[in-house]
Amino acid sequence: MFSLTVCDHIMIAHSFSGAEFGPAQRLHGATFAVEAEFRAPKLDHLNLLIDIGLARDELRRILAIVDYRNLDEVPAFAGRNTTTEFMAHYVFTELAAACRAGTLGEGGKAVSGIKVLLRESPLAWAAYEGEVG
Amino acid sequence: MFSLTVCDHIMIAHSFSGAEFGPAQRLHGATFAVEAEFRAPKLDHLNLLIDIGLARDELRRILAIVDYRNLDEVPAFAGRNTTTEFMAHYVFTELAAACRAGTLGEGGKAVSGIKVLLRESPLAWAAYEGEVG
Amino acid sequence: MFSLTVCDHIMIAHSFSGAEFGPAQRLHGATFAVEAEFRAPKLDHLNLLIDIGLARDELRRILAIVDYRNLDEVPAFAGRNTTTEFMAHYVFTELAAACRAGTLGEGGKAVSGIKVLLRESPLAWAAYEGEVG
Amino acid sequence: MFSLTVCDHIMIAHSFSGAEFGPAQRLHGATFAVEAEFRAPKLDHLNLLIDIGLARDELRRILAIVDYRNLDEVPAFAGRNTTTEFMAHYVFTELAAACRAGTLGEGGKAVSGIKVLLRESPLAWAAYEGEVG
Amino acid sequence: MFSLTVCDHIMIAHSFSGAEFGPAQRLHGATFAVEAEFRAPKLDHLNLLIDIGLARDELRRILAIVDYRNLDEVPAFAGRNTTTEFMAHYVFTELAAACRAGTLGEGGKAVSGIKVLLRESPLAWAAYEGEVG
Amino acid sequence: MFSLTVCDHIMIAHSFSGAEFGPAQRLHGATFAVEAEFRAPKLDHLNLLIDIGLARDELRRILAIVDYRNLDEVPAFAGRNTTTEFMAHYVFTELAAACRAGTLGEGGKAVSGIKVLLRESPLAWAAYEGEVG
């Protein structure tokens, strides 16, 4: 299995609901360093898994919707805790849809799996991985 | 599949038995930077995989038993080479037991797999991953 | 010149005033990975520059005041843009005061300079360094 | 499952064929930071997955063939785009052959899988993983 | 003293003249991860050392001239060994000129020093630092 | 001012004397990731600060004396606490002597300063820097 990973990052504010969160119930924020890994069983005739430029542009387009925002005010996340693991799943869903829609070219249509990892600090990160197609 | 990873580190002394180890047969030491990854197929109602505070505390409790010690003198490791891969398995076993025992809460009981990775230097690391439950 | 560096991190929300900030004028957030470097021309009789435990505890105490907070609502920062370079200076000022006050022990009193570096993303960071005493 | 990873790096020149590559069609170069992960279901009687010294030496021997070279002029790659994902597969194939041939000792013969990851920049990397034996 | 650092990277080919270089006399390449640090004794009324967007854009403009190129064929470097330390000085010179020319705004005019660091591998890097103005 | 940095690492055991050290009074160990930075005001006719191969070999020779050892039993350190800051100074002294002795070639004789940084964990490091010549 081949994989190709591209990186980006976002800087967001949010708060959490639930006593389990302790001080993180207060409005605070995070830099999420994002790693988007695309998997496929083979490469194309150019020896590419996916067009790396298209992958970076699509990842940026998806992240731009939430970058420099208070996630508590993003309608799509209303009533949800935007934990790191939840946001990893959100980015996964958007990237998987882009692959299926052809936004990432023929390479994207051949992607069989995606893993999205978000580093919230030097000591903690979360990820979601799943099949595509 | 979701995953959440928390980090910590220990500083230990040890020696190895076996000519294959060369100079590492001498008493020496290592900083092990520890990454503990918990996996689960879904999140709870708060969008958490596991309580990150409980996970950090439990990892620290397990590591404290061997931190700042000469592993050659730890009874549990008598007659064993405490290689990086062996220590990764040791931490895995302790964390898996904590999940099953409920020490990590309801989230911990729902953990389906754990991977423990120990970095021994900038150029080498070892890991053990397995199912839980 | 000797130096000793200890690390910690905070997760904060804030917004900036000034058209120059573009989208960062919106309420957003950041993880600041903090590196606090203490400098001294010599070590004590134990070969320590400073007690590393005291240094970590004091850094945590200073950071705890702003950790998991919206900096826009912290009285001490009213009317100020809490840029990364500004926050580095803030932490420097607090650590320098702690050294002078003796909170960091005899080693702290002998510290001649401090540098505080805050990483806001994998691609950008800011620092403030100055003399102490 | 256990894993052990060793690292090395190479500095190569190359160019790509295909309009999709844009400016990378020009002769340019890369530092590939190489991570070679060996996997096995159990450890040997010394608690080793594989002899780390043999693993490092074999990885260096394989990389030395292409290190400090223009990959466009390496006969084995004639007419092929030496993308990061392709080179990860190349190193995988050579390491898998070494395991089967016994160059990595008894531990190498027991290796069940290998993953080779090449970091081309702080923001992009590619990998190939497969079974061995 | 305040400092602000922004990062980027380039992927270049080159060769070196001189027996001291050994295998690096052959045409090979490198990814240079570039860190550009701007220093100033104070911040502006917005608490900024320099406009981070302008700094990133100017660094990219300077790097784009050599990115994805064979440095042996860049006229400005004719007859010169484009070592990592030499390239750090080259980028420093260009950034210092931009500060003086006002391309980096009022903040850039107030910059008193610059340090440019180029990482050529995980195990080696070079830098040039100097005053500006 | 130019600088060139090369890296290596050692794995050592040691213990500390003094109640201030707490659990670190017990025999334990550390991986020290070593960064040796050489500084000089100009480059030679080849655009080199120092021969990077010689620098790596000399650093390895110095580190090999203490690598895979219990520092408590190294005669040169008898009765001394081998703290990270102390060890940074030790490596500095050895590298400075090598520069003066000509072991690092003409480039080494022109080195005006050296900084040695030892990372003991992901969250703490120490350094010593001084002039040479």
Side-chain angles (χ1 to χ4, degrees), chain A residues 1-7 35 43 46-49 51-52 56, chain D residues 17 20-21 80-81 83 85-86 89 123-129:
Chain A
M1 182 66 70
F2 288 93
S3 66
L4 178 76
T5 304
V6 295
C7 302
E35 302 175 9
L43 305 179
L46 295 170
N47 279 342
L48 286 173
L49 190 155
D51 185 304
I52 199 170
R56 279 193 181 123
Chain D
S17 294
E20 292 84 343
F21 289 100
R80 309 296 304 272
N81 280 319
T83 59
E85 43 272 57
F86 172 82
H89 181 263
L123 299 184
W125 53 88
Y128 183 80
E129 60 183 292

Side-chain angles (χ1 to χ4, degrees), chain F residues 43-124:
Chain F
L43 305 180
D44 70 12
H45 68 292
L46 294 171
N47 279 343
L48 287 174
L49 190 156
I50 200 172
D51 184 305
I52 199 171
L54 287 180
R56 279 195 181 121
D57 289 349
E58 185 63 18
L59 180 59
R60 175 84 316 250
R61 190 193 63 74
I62 291 167
L63 296 179
I65 298 168
V66 291
D67 201 9
Y68 289 114
R69 295 217 175 263
N70 178 359
L71 300 185
D72 295 354
E73 298 176 351
V74 173
F77 306 143
R80 309 296 304 272
N81 280 320
T82 52
T83 59
T84 311
E85 42 272 58
F86 172 82
M87 292 305 292
H89 181 264
Y90 168 76
V91 177
F92 165 85
T93 302
E94 295 293 310
L95 283 174
C99 284
R100 283 190 295 259
T103 315
L104 294 177
E106 290 304 310
K109 288 182 184 170
V111 165
S112 58
I114 292 176
K115 179 178 182 177
V116 175
L117 188 149
L118 269 65
R119 297 183 189 271
E120 70 173 59
S121 83
L123 298 184

Side-chain angles (χ1 to χ4, degrees), chain D:
Chain D
M1 181 66 70
F2 288 93
S3 66
L4 178 77
T5 304
V6 295
C7 302
D8 202 332
H9 68 270
I10 52 173
M11 303 180 82
I12 56 89
H14 60 174
S15 63
F16 295 133
S17 294
E20 292 84 343
F21 289 100
Q25 294 176 87
R26 301 194 296 248
L27 183 63
H28 63 289
T31 305
F32 288 131
V34 181
E35 301 175 9
E37 176 184 299
F38 300 88
R39 297 172 182 163
K42 57 179 184 175
L43 305 180
D44 70 12
H45 67 292
L46 295 170
N47 279 343
L48 287 174
L49 191 155
I50 199 173
D51 185 305
I52 199 170
L54 286 181
R56 278 193 182 122
D57 289 350
E58 185 63 18
L59 179 59
R60 174 85 316 250
R61 189 193 64 75
I62 290 167
L63 296 178
I65 297 167
V66 292
D67 200 8
Y68 289 116
R69 296 219 173 261
N70 178 358
L71 301 185
D72 295 354
E73 298 176 352
V74 173
F77 305 143
R80 309 296 304 272
N81 280 319
T82 53
T83 59
T84 311
E85 43 272 57
F86 172 82
M87 292 304 294
H89 181 263
Y90 169 76
V91 177
F92 165 85
T93 304
E94 296 292 312
L95 284 174
C99 284
R100 284 189 293 259
T103 315
L104 294 177
E106 290 304 310
K109 287 182 184 169
V111 165
S112 57
I114 291 176
K115 180 178 181 177
V116 176
L117 187 149
L118 270 65
R119 298 184 189 271
E120 69 172 59
S121 83
L123 299 184
W125 53 88
Y128 183 80
E129 60 183 292
E131 296 184 5
V132 177

Side-chain angles (χ1 to χ4, degrees), chain C residues 1-9 34-35 37 39-41 43-52 56 119, chain F residues 17-21 80-86 88-89 115 117 120-130:
Chain C
M1 182 65 71
F2 288 93
S3 66
L4 178 76
T5 304
V6 295
C7 302
D8 202 333
H9 68 269
V34 181
E35 302 175 9
E37 176 186 297
R39 298 173 183 162
L43 304 180
D44 70 12
H45 67 291
L46 295 171
N47 279 342
L48 286 174
L49 191 155
I50 199 171
D51 184 305
I52 200 171
R56 279 194 181 121
R119 297 184 190 271
Chain F
S17 294
E20 291 84 343
F21 290 99
R80 309 296 304 272
N81 280 320
T82 52
T83 59
T84 311
E85 42 272 58
F86 172 82
H89 181 264
K115 179 178 182 177
L117 188 149
E120 70 173 59
S121 83
L123 298 184
W125 52 90
Y128 182 81
E129 60 183 293

Side-chain angles (χ1 to χ4, degrees), chain C residues 74-86:
Chain C
V74 174
F77 305 144
R80 310 295 305 271
N81 279 320
T82 52
T83 59
T84 311
E85 43 272 58
F86 172 82

